[in-house]
């Protein structure tokens, strides 16, 4: 007799459930065993978040038995690598010892030169010649908030990604990773003579790049000009983009290079939930040489891609 076959859902459940059980067990150990045991001998984080994609903001309370130290600093450690940043210590309204710190991440922005990987966070206290090191206990990870803005997932300067995590014993850590490959729009120049786009290439290198303007059934290849290290400019070829009919035509911009890389130009390193509305640009009436006038409207899609919409003016017929 043939054994009954498992359904796809059962097969999927067989791979998902063990992971869920491990995560639940890990959470129970953390909250039920490790955190109660360590709470009175670690610095308790009341607030921990990465607000702008590259700055770790911390507010912690020292154990009740700890006197107010002369100095404090945050230590980030990974393997043998160690970096420090100053912290502020002060006495709270109930006499408790409190610590605040804002740690900028990334050598390119003048911050702590962290690299990809998991970095342990500790608090070092100094009183005279005495030194003491404490773990930073994170009871709950940061919770995403609602509103017109959102937490930034990456540095707006470098594109590197940082997030707060915690070990199985509840100790806070910073998890860093490199920038995703992207063509990030830096500026859109709008004049009645045309449209120019400046952009940065992050997370990768491009070799002999060029741009393609893509609409339904149409592709226009366009050269790009290097402005500096990983910064480029492309002229929007409006003379080749008049609509073929009465309906608007929407053009996306793709960056290509000799190695076969392909990236869509867009603006994604920000904290707004509606880039279409917040980064709105004015429309222009332009008459390309040899063509009737048209309305040109650069804008960002909800996904952050830059799109140029060309519409024939009604009076142009």
């Amino acid at each position: 007799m043939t054994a009954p076959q498992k359904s796809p859902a059962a097969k999927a459940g067989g791979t998902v459930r063990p992971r869920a059980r491990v995560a639940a067990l890990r959470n129970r150990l953390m909250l039920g065993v490790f955190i109660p045991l360590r709470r009175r001998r670690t610095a308790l984080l009341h607030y921990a978040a990465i607000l702008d994609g590259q700055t770790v903001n911390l507010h912690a309370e020292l154990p009740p038995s700890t006197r107010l130290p002369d100095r404090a600093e945050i230590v980030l450690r990974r393997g043998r690598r160690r970096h420090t940043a100053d912290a502020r210590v002060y006495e709270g309204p109930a006499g408790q010892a409190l610590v605040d710190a804002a740690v900028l991440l990334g050598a390119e922005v003048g911050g702590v030169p962290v690299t990809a990987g998991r970095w342990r966070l500790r608090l070092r206290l100094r009183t005279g010649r005495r030194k003491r090191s404490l773990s930073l206990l994170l009871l709950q990870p940061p919770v995403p908030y609602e509103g017109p803005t959102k937490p930034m997932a990456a540095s707006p300067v470098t594109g590197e990604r940082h997030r707060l995590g915690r070990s199985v014993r509840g100790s806070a850590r910073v998890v860093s990773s490199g920038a995703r490959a992207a063509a990030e729009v830096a500026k859109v120049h709008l004049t009645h003579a045309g449209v120019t786009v400046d952009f940065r290439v992050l997370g990768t290198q491009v070799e002999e790049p060029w741009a393609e303007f893509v609409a339904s059934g149409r592709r226009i290849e366009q050269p790009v000009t290097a402005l500096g290290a990983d910064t480029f400019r492309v002229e929007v070829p409006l003379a080749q983009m008049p609509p073929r009919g009465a309906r608007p035509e929407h053009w996306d911009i793709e960056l290509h290079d000799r190695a076969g890389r392909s990236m869509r130009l867009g603006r994604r390193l920000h904290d707004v939930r509606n880039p279409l509305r917040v980064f709105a640009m004015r429309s222009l009436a332009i008459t390309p040489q040899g063509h009737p006038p048209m309305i040109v409207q650069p804008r960002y899609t909800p996904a952050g891609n830059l799109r140029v919409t060309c519409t024939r003016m009604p009076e142009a017929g």
Side-chain angles (χ1 to χ4, degrees), residues 169-296:
R169 300 177 70 227
S171 296
R173 59 188 179 185
V174 172
V175 183
S176 299
S177 53
R180 290 191 176 99
E184 180 76 5
V185 174
K187 189 173 183 179
V188 179
H189 307 266
L190 297 173
T191 70
H192 287 285
V195 180
T196 303
V197 180
D198 293 347
F199 61 94
R200 299 180 294 147
V201 174
L202 302 172
T204 187
Q205 300 289 325
V206 290
E207 304 174 17
E208 300 178 13
W210 72 91
E212 271 193 336
F213 288 75
V214 182
S216 178
R218 302 173 67 182
R219 285 184 173 269
I220 302 172
E221 191 172 307
Q222 189 74 352
V224 301
T225 303
L227 300 179
D230 302 321
T231 306
F232 302 88
R233 171 173 293 176
V234 62
E235 304 285 343
V236 179
L238 295 174
Q240 303 177 57
M241 295 165 59
R244 293 172 295 184
R247 300 181 63 180
E249 289 196 349
H250 308 288
W251 295 85
D252 294 323
I253 310 173
E254 297 176 354
L255 181 70
H256 301 270
D257 80 340
R258 186 181 63 180
R261 297 178 185 86
S262 177
M263 295 175 285
R264 184 168 293 181
L265 268 65
R267 188 170 179 181
R268 302 175 184 88
L269 298 181
H270 56 75
D271 63 352
V272 303
R273 296 187 186 276
N274 190 346
L276 175 61
R277 177 178 299 177
V278 176
F279 301 135
M281 290 172 276
R282 72 182 191 275
S283 59
L284 293 175
I286 293 178
T287 305
Q289 186 174 2
H291 296 278
M294 64 179 179
I295 301 295
V296 176

Side-chain angles (χ1 to χ4, degrees), residues 39 43-49 57-63 90 96-100 136-142:
R39 190 162 187 166
L44 178 62
L45 283 166
H46 292 301
Y47 177 81
N57 290 263
L58 304 172
H59 173 65
E61 181 179 347
L62 302 185
Y90 59 99
Q96 72 273 42
L98 302 175
V99 178
D100 288 343
L136 288 162
L137 195 61
L138 183 60
L139 296 184
Q140 294 294 335

